[in-house]
PDB file of all heavy atoms in Angstrom:
ATOM      1  N   LEU A  12     -17.632   0.459  26.362  1.00  0.00           N
ATOM      2  CA  LEU A  12     -18.399   1.227  25.326  1.00  0.00           C
ATOM      3  C   LEU A  12     -19.782   1.538  25.820  1.00  0.00           C
ATOM      4  O   LEU A  12     -20.289   2.670  25.532  1.00  0.00           O
ATOM      5  CB  LEU A  12     -18.463   0.366  24.045  1.00  0.00           C
ATOM      6  CG  LEU A  12     -17.116   0.095  23.356  1.00  0.00           C
ATOM      7  CD1 LEU A  12     -17.283  -0.842  22.114  1.00  0.00           C
ATOM      8  CD2 LEU A  12     -16.526   1.436  22.855  1.00  0.00           C
ATOM      9  N   GLU A  13     -20.445   0.633  26.535  1.00  0.00           N
ATOM     10  CA  GLU A  13     -21.784   0.944  27.047  1.00  0.00           C
ATOM     11  C   GLU A  13     -21.723   2.113  28.072  1.00  0.00           C
ATOM     12  O   GLU A  13     -22.671   2.880  28.159  1.00  0.00           O
ATOM     13  CB  GLU A  13     -22.342  -0.280  27.751  1.00  0.00           C
ATOM     14  CG  GLU A  13     -22.780  -1.393  26.748  1.00  0.00           C
ATOM     15  CD  GLU A  13     -23.257  -2.662  27.535  1.00  0.00           C
ATOM     16  OE1 GLU A  13     -23.128  -2.682  28.745  1.00  0.00           O
ATOM     17  OE2 GLU A  13     -23.690  -3.601  26.859  1.00  0.00           O
ATOM     18  N   ALA A  14     -20.633   2.191  28.754  1.00  0.00           N
ATOM     19  CA  ALA A  14     -20.500   3.285  29.752  1.00  0.00           C
ATOM     20  C   ALA A  14     -20.381   4.658  29.170  1.00  0.00           C
ATOM     21  O   ALA A  14     -20.580   5.661  29.880  1.00  0.00           O
ATOM     22  CB  ALA A  14     -19.268   2.977  30.644  1.00  0.00           C
ATOM     23  N   LEU A  15     -20.111   4.693  27.895  1.00  0.00           N
ATOM     24  CA  LEU A  15     -20.008   6.011  27.210  1.00  0.00           C
ATOM     25  C   LEU A  15     -21.391   6.603  26.917  1.00  0.00           C
ATOM     26  O   LEU A  15     -21.489   7.764  26.561  1.00  0.00           O
ATOM     27  CB  LEU A  15     -19.212   5.890  25.941  1.00  0.00           C
ATOM     28  CG  LEU A  15     -17.706   5.385  26.145  1.00  0.00           C
ATOM     29  CD1 LEU A  15     -17.038   5.251  24.778  1.00  0.00           C
ATOM     30  CD2 LEU A  15     -16.963   6.336  27.058  1.00  0.00           C
ATOM     31  N   ARG A  16     -22.428   5.768  27.006  1.00  0.00           N
ATOM     32  CA  ARG A  16     -23.786   6.229  26.776  1.00  0.00           C
ATOM     33  C   ARG A  16     -24.350   6.785  28.082  1.00  0.00           C
ATOM     34  O   ARG A  16     -23.952   6.392  29.153  1.00  0.00           O
ATOM     35  CB  ARG A  16     -24.649   5.074  26.248  1.00  0.00           C
ATOM     36  CG  ARG A  16     -24.158   4.526  24.922  1.00  0.00           C
ATOM     37  CD  ARG A  16     -25.118   3.492  24.340  1.00  0.00           C
ATOM     38  NE  ARG A  16     -25.326   2.363  25.211  1.00  0.00           N
ATOM     39  CZ  ARG A  16     -25.651   1.158  24.791  1.00  0.00           C
ATOM     40  NH1 ARG A  16     -25.767   0.918  23.500  1.00  0.00           N
ATOM     41  NH2 ARG A  16     -25.848   0.205  25.646  1.00  0.00           N
ATOM     42  N   PRO A  17     -25.350   7.674  27.983  1.00  0.00           N
ATOM     43  CA  PRO A  17     -25.864   8.281  29.212  1.00  0.00           C
ATOM     44  C   PRO A  17     -26.702   7.357  30.107  1.00  0.00           C
ATOM     45  O   PRO A  17     -26.851   7.592  31.279  1.00  0.00           O
ATOM     46  CB  PRO A  17     -26.749   9.412  28.655  1.00  0.00           C
ATOM     47  CG  PRO A  17     -27.125   9.011  27.260  1.00  0.00           C
ATOM     48  CD  PRO A  17     -25.969   8.245  26.766  1.00  0.00           C
ATOM     49  N   ARG A  18     -27.214   6.250  29.561  1.00  0.00           N
ATOM     50  CA  ARG A  18     -28.082   5.353  30.359  1.00  0.00           C
ATOM     51  C   ARG A  18     -27.202   4.619  31.360  1.00  0.00           C
ATOM     52  O   ARG A  18     -26.184   4.072  31.009  1.00  0.00           O
ATOM     53  CB  ARG A  18     -28.777   4.367  29.411  1.00  0.00           C
ATOM     54  CG  ARG A  18     -29.758   3.437  30.136  1.00  0.00           C
ATOM     55  CD  ARG A  18     -30.577   2.654  29.059  1.00  0.00           C
ATOM     56  NE  ARG A  18     -31.417   1.677  29.729  1.00  0.00           N
ATOM     57  CZ  ARG A  18     -31.052   0.405  30.015  1.00  0.00           C
ATOM     58  NH1 ARG A  18     -29.821   0.005  29.711  1.00  0.00           N
ATOM     59  NH2 ARG A  18     -31.884  -0.465  30.585  1.00  0.00           N
ATOM     60  N   VAL A  19     -27.653   4.569  32.633  1.00  0.00           N
ATOM     61  CA  VAL A  19     -26.849   3.933  33.668  1.00  0.00           C
ATOM     62  C   VAL A  19     -26.810   2.406  33.476  1.00  0.00           C
ATOM     63  O   VAL A  19     -25.770   1.755  33.573  1.00  0.00           O
ATOM     64  CB  VAL A  19     -27.436   4.256  35.069  1.00  0.00           C
ATOM     65  CG1 VAL A  19     -26.705   3.461  36.130  1.00  0.00           C
ATOM     66  CG2 VAL A  19     -27.360   5.731  35.325  1.00  0.00           C
ATOM     67  N   GLY A  20     -27.971   1.777  33.193  1.00  0.00           N
ATOM     68  CA  GLY A  20     -28.019   0.353  33.028  1.00  0.00           C
ATOM     69  C   GLY A  20     -28.506  -0.361  34.269  1.00  0.00           C
ATOM     70  O   GLY A  20     -28.646   0.245  35.341  1.00  0.00           O
ATOM     71  N   ARG A  21     -28.662  -1.634  34.148  1.00  0.00           N
ATOM     72  CA  ARG A  21     -29.204  -2.463  35.245  1.00  0.00           C
ATOM     73  C   ARG A  21     -28.070  -2.913  36.164  1.00  0.00           C
ATOM     74  O   ARG A  21     -27.026  -3.312  35.699  1.00  0.00           O
ATOM     75  CB  ARG A  21     -29.948  -3.660  34.690  1.00  0.00           C
ATOM     76  CG  ARG A  21     -30.526  -4.629  35.741  1.00  0.00           C
ATOM     77  CD  ARG A  21     -31.252  -5.779  35.102  1.00  0.00           C
ATOM     78  NE  ARG A  21     -31.682  -6.747  36.073  1.00  0.00           N
ATOM     79  CZ  ARG A  21     -32.798  -6.636  36.779  1.00  0.00           C
ATOM     80  NH1 ARG A  21     -33.589  -5.570  36.634  1.00  0.00           N
ATOM     81  NH2 ARG A  21     -33.138  -7.550  37.677  1.00  0.00           N
ATOM     82  N   TRP A  22     -28.327  -2.895  37.444  1.00  0.00           N
ATOM     83  CA  TRP A  22     -27.360  -3.355  38.454  1.00  0.00           C
ATOM     84  C   TRP A  22     -27.668  -4.856  38.698  1.00  0.00           C
ATOM     85  O   TRP A  22     -28.542  -5.210  39.439  1.00  0.00           O
ATOM     86  CB  TRP A  22     -27.558  -2.576  39.767  1.00  0.00           C
ATOM     87  CG  TRP A  22     -26.347  -2.580  40.654  1.00  0.00           C
ATOM     88  CD1 TRP A  22     -25.478  -1.570  40.840  1.00  0.00           C
ATOM     89  CD2 TRP A  22     -25.945  -3.571  41.601  1.00  0.00           C
ATOM     90  NE1 TRP A  22     -24.538  -1.884  41.799  1.00  0.00           N
ATOM     91  CE2 TRP A  22     -24.806  -3.158  42.283  1.00  0.00           C
ATOM     92  CE3 TRP A  22     -26.462  -4.838  41.953  1.00  0.00           C
ATOM     93  CZ2 TRP A  22     -24.143  -3.913  43.247  1.00  0.00           C
ATOM     94  CZ3 TRP A  22     -25.804  -5.604  42.884  1.00  0.00           C
ATOM     95  CH2 TRP A  22     -24.662  -5.114  43.509  1.00  0.00           C
ATOM     96  N   ASP A  23     -26.856  -5.745  38.041  1.00  0.00           N
ATOM     97  CA  ASP A  23     -27.111  -7.177  38.140  1.00  0.00           C
ATOM     98  C   ASP A  23     -26.279  -7.697  39.248  1.00  0.00           C
ATOM     99  O   ASP A  23     -25.089  -7.598  39.328  1.00  0.00           O
ATOM    100  CB  ASP A  23     -26.728  -7.877  36.834  1.00  0.00           C
ATOM    101  CG  ASP A  23     -27.608  -7.467  35.662  1.00  0.00           C
ATOM    102  OD1 ASP A  23     -28.830  -7.408  35.915  1.00  0.00           O
ATOM    103  OD2 ASP A  23     -27.129  -7.277  34.572  1.00  0.00           O
ATOM    104  N   ARG A  24     -26.969  -8.350  40.239  1.00  0.00           N
ATOM    105  CA  ARG A  24     -26.300  -8.948  41.336  1.00  0.00           C
ATOM    106  C   ARG A  24     -25.518 -10.201  40.942  1.00  0.00           C
ATOM    107  O   ARG A  24     -25.838 -10.821  39.932  1.00  0.00           O
ATOM    108  CB  ARG A  24     -27.316  -9.353  42.449  1.00  0.00           C
ATOM    109  CG  ARG A  24     -28.389 -10.315  41.920  1.00  0.00           C
ATOM    110  CD  ARG A  24     -29.353 -10.717  43.049  1.00  0.00           C
ATOM    111  NE  ARG A  24     -28.747 -11.691  43.897  1.00  0.00           N
ATOM    112  CZ  ARG A  24     -28.603 -12.978  43.631  1.00  0.00           C
ATOM    113  NH1 ARG A  24     -28.954 -13.422  42.455  1.00  0.00           N
ATOM    114  NH2 ARG A  24     -28.055 -13.822  44.504  1.00  0.00           N
ATOM    115  N   THR A  25     -24.490 -10.490  41.719  1.00  0.00           N
ATOM    116  CA  THR A  25     -23.750 -11.758  41.468  1.00  0.00           C
ATOM    117  C   THR A  25     -24.291 -12.826  42.372  1.00  0.00           C
ATOM    118  O   THR A  25     -24.311 -12.717  43.605  1.00  0.00           O
ATOM    119  CB  THR A  25     -22.249 -11.508  41.831  1.00  0.00           C
ATOM    120  OG1 THR A  25     -21.780 -10.369  41.135  1.00  0.00           O
ATOM    121  CG2 THR A  25     -21.426 -12.737  41.478  1.00  0.00           C
ATOM    122  N   PRO A  26     -24.759 -13.941  41.793  1.00  0.00           N
ATOM    123  CA  PRO A  26     -25.342 -15.009  42.625  1.00  0.00           C
ATOM    124  C   PRO A  26     -24.302 -15.632  43.575  1.00  0.00           C
ATOM    125  O   PRO A  26     -23.121 -15.763  43.298  1.00  0.00           O
ATOM    126  CB  PRO A  26     -25.734 -16.081  41.558  1.00  0.00           C
ATOM    127  CG  PRO A  26     -25.776 -15.355  40.278  1.00  0.00           C
ATOM    128  CD  PRO A  26     -24.791 -14.260  40.363  1.00  0.00           C
ATOM    129  N   LYS A  27     -24.833 -15.922  44.783  1.00  0.00           N
ATOM    130  CA  LYS A  27     -23.986 -16.581  45.822  1.00  0.00           C
ATOM    131  C   LYS A  27     -24.684 -17.838  46.258  1.00  0.00           C
ATOM    132  O   LYS A  27     -25.892 -17.905  46.452  1.00  0.00           O
ATOM    133  CB  LYS A  27     -23.790 -15.676  47.050  1.00  0.00           C
ATOM    134  CG  LYS A  27     -23.034 -14.371  46.792  1.00  0.00           C
ATOM    135  CD  LYS A  27     -23.997 -13.225  46.631  1.00  0.00           C
ATOM    136  CE  LYS A  27     -23.253 -11.921  46.361  1.00  0.00           C
ATOM    137  NZ  LYS A  27     -24.228 -10.823  46.093  1.00  0.00           N
ATOM    138  N   TYR A  28     -23.885 -18.926  46.426  1.00  0.00           N
ATOM    139  CA  TYR A  28     -24.493 -20.238  46.650  1.00  0.00           C
ATOM    140  C   TYR A  28     -23.936 -20.861  47.957  1.00  0.00           C
ATOM    141  O   TYR A  28     -24.289 -22.011  48.285  1.00  0.00           O
ATOM    142  CB  TYR A  28     -24.151 -21.185  45.529  1.00  0.00           C
ATOM    143  CG  TYR A  28     -24.715 -20.743  44.182  1.00  0.00           C
ATOM    144  CD1 TYR A  28     -23.863 -20.176  43.232  1.00  0.00           C
ATOM    145  CD2 TYR A  28     -26.056 -20.841  43.896  1.00  0.00           C
ATOM    146  CE1 TYR A  28     -24.354 -19.757  42.006  1.00  0.00           C
ATOM    147  CE2 TYR A  28     -26.563 -20.380  42.672  1.00  0.00           C
ATOM    148  CZ  TYR A  28     -25.708 -19.818  41.735  1.00  0.00           C
ATOM    149  OH  TYR A  28     -26.223 -19.438  40.549  1.00  0.00           O
ATOM    150  N   ALA A  29     -23.060 -20.200  48.681  1.00  0.00           N
ATOM    151  CA  ALA A  29     -22.404 -20.788  49.853  1.00  0.00           C
ATOM    152  C   ALA A  29     -21.637 -22.069  49.449  1.00  0.00           C
ATOM    153  O   ALA A  29     -21.652 -23.053  50.163  1.00  0.00           O
ATOM    154  CB  ALA A  29     -23.388 -21.063  50.974  1.00  0.00           C
ATOM    155  N   LEU A  30     -21.070 -22.057  48.240  1.00  0.00           N
ATOM    156  CA  LEU A  30     -20.385 -23.249  47.708  1.00  0.00           C
ATOM    157  C   LEU A  30     -18.913 -23.187  48.137  1.00  0.00           C
ATOM    158  O   LEU A  30     -18.145 -22.328  47.733  1.00  0.00           O
ATOM    159  CB  LEU A  30     -20.465 -23.292  46.213  1.00  0.00           C
ATOM    160  CG  LEU A  30     -21.850 -23.541  45.605  1.00  0.00           C
ATOM    161  CD1 LEU A  30     -21.756 -23.600  44.099  1.00  0.00           C
ATOM    162  CD2 LEU A  30     -22.443 -24.850  46.120  1.00  0.00           C
ATOM    163  N   VAL A  31     -18.503 -24.150  48.932  1.00  0.00           N
ATOM    164  CA  VAL A  31     -17.091 -24.269  49.258  1.00  0.00           C
ATOM    165  C   VAL A  31     -16.613 -25.701  48.962  1.00  0.00           C
ATOM    166  O   VAL A  31     -15.391 -25.943  48.987  1.00  0.00           O
ATOM    167  CB  VAL A  31     -16.830 -24.011  50.790  1.00  0.00           C
ATOM    168  CG1 VAL A  31     -17.068 -22.534  51.053  1.00  0.00           C
ATOM    169  CG2 VAL A  31     -17.660 -24.850  51.650  1.00  0.00           C
ATOM    170  N   ASP A  32     -17.522 -26.573  48.605  1.00  0.00           N
ATOM    171  CA  ASP A  32     -17.217 -27.958  48.250  1.00  0.00           C
ATOM    172  C   ASP A  32     -17.287 -28.134  46.716  1.00  0.00           C
ATOM    173  O   ASP A  32     -18.311 -27.870  46.125  1.00  0.00           O
ATOM    174  CB  ASP A  32     -18.203 -28.922  48.954  1.00  0.00           C
ATOM    175  CG  ASP A  32     -17.915 -30.359  48.656  1.00  0.00           C
ATOM    176  OD1 ASP A  32     -16.984 -30.652  47.853  1.00  0.00           O
ATOM    177  OD2 ASP A  32     -18.536 -31.210  49.272  1.00  0.00           O
ATOM    178  N   PRO A  33     -16.189 -28.529  46.033  1.00  0.00           N
ATOM    179  CA  PRO A  33     -16.237 -28.671  44.579  1.00  0.00           C
ATOM    180  C   PRO A  33     -17.239 -29.631  44.123  1.00  0.00           C
ATOM    181  O   PRO A  33     -17.675 -29.620  42.982  1.00  0.00           O
ATOM    182  CB  PRO A  33     -14.817 -29.137  44.262  1.00  0.00           C
ATOM    183  CG  PRO A  33     -13.982 -28.723  45.414  1.00  0.00           C
ATOM    184  CD  PRO A  33     -14.881 -28.776  46.590  1.00  0.00           C
ATOM    185  N   ARG A  34     -17.694 -30.548  45.020  1.00  0.00           N
ATOM    186  CA  ARG A  34     -18.717 -31.520  44.579  1.00  0.00           C
ATOM    187  C   ARG A  34     -20.125 -31.005  44.669  1.00  0.00           C
ATOM    188  O   ARG A  34     -21.093 -31.712  44.232  1.00  0.00           O
ATOM    189  CB  ARG A  34     -18.530 -32.804  45.424  1.00  0.00           C
ATOM    190  CG  ARG A  34     -17.212 -33.508  45.255  1.00  0.00           C
ATOM    191  CD  ARG A  34     -16.984 -34.513  46.396  1.00  0.00           C
ATOM    192  NE  ARG A  34     -16.935 -33.813  47.682  1.00  0.00           N
ATOM    193  CZ  ARG A  34     -16.776 -34.477  48.838  1.00  0.00           C
ATOM    194  NH1 ARG A  34     -16.629 -35.787  48.789  1.00  0.00           N
ATOM    195  NH2 ARG A  34     -16.767 -33.801  49.969  1.00  0.00           N
ATOM    196  N   ALA A  35     -20.324 -29.831  45.287  1.00  0.00           N
ATOM    197  CA  ALA A  35     -21.671 -29.354  45.502  1.00  0.00           C
ATOM    198  C   ALA A  35     -22.300 -28.983  44.164  1.00  0.00           C
ATOM    199  O   ALA A  35     -21.652 -28.493  43.223  1.00  0.00           O
ATOM    200  CB  ALA A  35     -21.612 -28.102  46.393  1.00  0.00           C
ATOM    201  N   PRO A  36     -23.624 -29.228  44.004  1.00  0.00           N
ATOM    202  CA  PRO A  36     -24.270 -28.941  42.736  1.00  0.00           C
ATOM    203  C   PRO A  36     -24.618 -27.482  42.515  1.00  0.00           C
ATOM    204  O   PRO A  36     -24.680 -26.673  43.454  1.00  0.00           O
ATOM    205  CB  PRO A  36     -25.598 -29.722  42.874  1.00  0.00           C
ATOM    206  CG  PRO A  36     -25.875 -29.701  44.360  1.00  0.00           C
ATOM    207  CD  PRO A  36     -24.514 -29.816  44.993  1.00  0.00           C
ATOM    208  N   ARG A  37     -24.748 -27.096  41.258  1.00  0.00           N
ATOM    209  CA  ARG A  37     -25.230 -25.760  40.943  1.00  0.00           C
ATOM    210  C   ARG A  37     -26.724 -25.700  41.255  1.00  0.00           C
ATOM    211  O   ARG A  37     -27.422 -26.666  41.111  1.00  0.00           O
ATOM    212  CB  ARG A  37     -25.049 -25.461  39.430  1.00  0.00           C
ATOM    213  CG  ARG A  37     -23.598 -25.455  38.982  1.00  0.00           C
ATOM    214  CD  ARG A  37     -22.872 -24.214  39.478  1.00  0.00           C
ATOM    215  NE  ARG A  37     -21.574 -24.083  38.815  1.00  0.00           N
ATOM    216  CZ  ARG A  37     -20.443 -24.602  39.308  1.00  0.00           C
ATOM    217  NH1 ARG A  37     -20.484 -25.343  40.404  1.00  0.00           N
ATOM    218  NH2 ARG A  37     -19.296 -24.413  38.689  1.00  0.00           N
ATOM    219  N   ARG A  38     -27.136 -24.501  41.674  1.00  0.00           N
ATOM    220  CA  ARG A  38     -28.523 -24.447  42.093  1.00  0.00           C
ATOM    221  C   ARG A  38     -29.185 -23.196  41.435  1.00  0.00           C
ATOM    222  O   ARG A  38     -28.949 -22.951  40.228  1.00  0.00           O
ATOM    223  CB  ARG A  38     -28.579 -24.357  43.612  1.00  0.00           C
ATOM    224  CG  ARG A  38     -28.155 -25.702  44.269  1.00  0.00           C
ATOM    225  CD  ARG A  38     -28.124 -25.594  45.762  1.00  0.00           C
ATOM    226  NE  ARG A  38     -26.847 -25.087  46.205  1.00  0.00           N
ATOM    227  CZ  ARG A  38     -26.453 -25.057  47.488  1.00  0.00           C
ATOM    228  NH1 ARG A  38     -27.293 -25.406  48.425  1.00  0.00           N
ATOM    229  NH2 ARG A  38     -25.294 -24.611  47.820  1.00  0.00           N
ATOM    230  N   ARG A  39     -30.015 -22.457  42.140  1.00  0.00           N
ATOM    231  CA  ARG A  39     -30.794 -21.400  41.548  1.00  0.00           C
ATOM    232  C   ARG A  39     -29.883 -20.175  41.187  1.00  0.00           C
ATOM    233  O   ARG A  39     -28.712 -20.171  41.406  1.00  0.00           O
ATOM    234  CB  ARG A  39     -31.909 -20.978  42.479  1.00  0.00           C
ATOM    235  CG  ARG A  39     -32.935 -22.065  42.637  1.00  0.00           C
ATOM    236  CD  ARG A  39     -33.878 -21.752  43.779  1.00  0.00           C
ATOM    237  NE  ARG A  39     -34.556 -20.466  43.632  1.00  0.00           N
ATOM    238  CZ  ARG A  39     -35.539 -20.041  44.453  1.00  0.00           C
ATOM    239  NH1 ARG A  39     -35.839 -20.749  45.486  1.00  0.00           N
ATOM    240  NH2 ARG A  39     -36.077 -18.871  44.275  1.00  0.00           N
ATOM    241  N   TYR A  40     -30.559 -19.145  40.670  1.00  0.00           N
ATOM    242  CA  TYR A  40     -29.934 -17.867  40.309  1.00  0.00           C
ATOM    243  C   TYR A  40     -28.889 -18.032  39.231  1.00  0.00           C
ATOM    244  O   TYR A  40     -27.796 -17.498  39.293  1.00  0.00           O
ATOM    245  CB  TYR A  40     -29.241 -17.249  41.554  1.00  0.00           C
ATOM    246  CG  TYR A  40     -30.150 -17.064  42.781  1.00  0.00           C
ATOM    247  CD1 TYR A  40     -29.680 -17.286  44.043  1.00  0.00           C
ATOM    248  CD2 TYR A  40     -31.459 -16.646  42.624  1.00  0.00           C
ATOM    249  CE1 TYR A  40     -30.489 -17.074  45.161  1.00  0.00           C
ATOM    250  CE2 TYR A  40     -32.271 -16.418  43.720  1.00  0.00           C
ATOM    251  CZ  TYR A  40     -31.783 -16.632  44.978  1.00  0.00           C
ATOM    252  OH  TYR A  40     -32.582 -16.460  46.103  1.00  0.00           O
ATOM    253  N   ARG A  41     -29.207 -18.763  38.184  1.00  0.00           N
ATOM    254  CA  ARG A  41     -28.273 -18.916  37.104  1.00  0.00           C
ATOM    255  C   ARG A  41     -28.196 -17.584  36.267  1.00  0.00           C
ATOM    256  O   ARG A  41     -29.161 -16.881  36.166  1.00  0.00           O
ATOM    257  CB  ARG A  41     -28.705 -20.054  36.149  1.00  0.00           C
ATOM    258  CG  ARG A  41     -28.569 -21.416  36.739  1.00  0.00           C
ATOM    259  CD  ARG A  41     -28.745 -22.472  35.652  1.00  0.00           C
ATOM    260  NE  ARG A  41     -28.666 -23.832  36.233  1.00  0.00           N
ATOM    261  CZ  ARG A  41     -29.701 -24.548  36.565  1.00  0.00           C
ATOM    262  NH1 ARG A  41     -30.951 -24.102  36.412  1.00  0.00           N
ATOM    263  NH2 ARG A  41     -29.537 -25.759  37.066  1.00  0.00           N
ATOM    264  N   VAL A  42     -27.003 -17.380  35.762  1.00  0.00           N
ATOM    265  CA  VAL A  42     -26.746 -16.186  34.918  1.00  0.00           C
ATOM    266  C   VAL A  42     -26.288 -16.648  33.578  1.00  0.00           C
ATOM    267  O   VAL A  42     -25.524 -17.632  33.452  1.00  0.00           O
ATOM    268  CB  VAL A  42     -25.693 -15.273  35.538  1.00  0.00           C
ATOM    269  CG1 VAL A  42     -25.373 -14.103  34.672  1.00  0.00           C
ATOM    270  CG2 VAL A  42     -26.086 -14.860  36.933  1.00  0.00           C
ATOM    271  N   GLY A  43     -26.703 -16.021  32.517  1.00  0.00           N
ATOM    272  CA  GLY A  43     -26.279 -16.336  31.186  1.00  0.00           C
ATOM    273  C   GLY A  43     -27.253 -17.108  30.388  1.00  0.00           C
ATOM    274  O   GLY A  43     -27.904 -18.018  30.929  1.00  0.00           O
ATOM    275  N   GLY A  44     -27.410 -16.761  29.139  1.00  0.00           N
ATOM    276  CA  GLY A  44     -28.352 -17.457  28.257  1.00  0.00           C
ATOM    277  C   GLY A  44     -27.724 -18.555  27.416  1.00  0.00           C
ATOM    278  O   GLY A  44     -26.570 -18.923  27.589  1.00  0.00           O
TER     279      GLY A  44
END
């Protein structure tokens, strides 16, 4: 629905953490309120 409006919008990057170990902690670049 947002795409039907003329405004392009913000290009939000997807955070990458080099996480391959399930025990590794979450770190910076959190997304979501």
